[in-house]
Amino acid sequence: MIYEPVIILKKEMVRIADTARIDSWVKIEGGKGVFIADYVHIASFCHLNIGGGELYIEEYAACA
């Protein structure tokens, strides 16, 4: 579930599992690839993959 507004740059490089939760006001930069696995929670105001490399967030993790 993705709660708007969320900004995703280079959407073609971002994969988000159906069971992941992305709260409002999150920014995800695709870079060389972003993979967010099942049951991950990204809290509001997180900014992911700022360096533009690859980012893997595996099952049951959270970012706040």
Side-chain angles (χ1 to χ4, degrees):
M1 176 161 284
I2 299 176
Y3 294 93
E4 296 296 332
V6 170
I7 297 172
I8 301 176
L9 303 177
K10 292 181 71 176
K11 290 182 182 187
E12 70 277 4
M13 299 302 292
V14 177
R15 301 286 176 259
I16 301 171
D18 291 336
T19 57
R21 174 181 166 175
I22 312 293
D23 289 344
S24 300
W25 308 107
V26 169
K27 183 174 183 180
I28 302 171
E29 298 191 32
K32 294 182 180 178
V34 174
F35 177 74
I36 299 173
D38 289 309
Y39 306 105
V40 168
H41 178 206
I42 308 297
S44 294
F45 303 105
C46 285
H47 187 169
L48 303 178
N49 207 26
I50 297 168
E54 292 180 312
L55 175 64
Y56 295 88
I57 302 176
E58 297 190 16
E59 291 87 359
Y60 302 99
C63 294

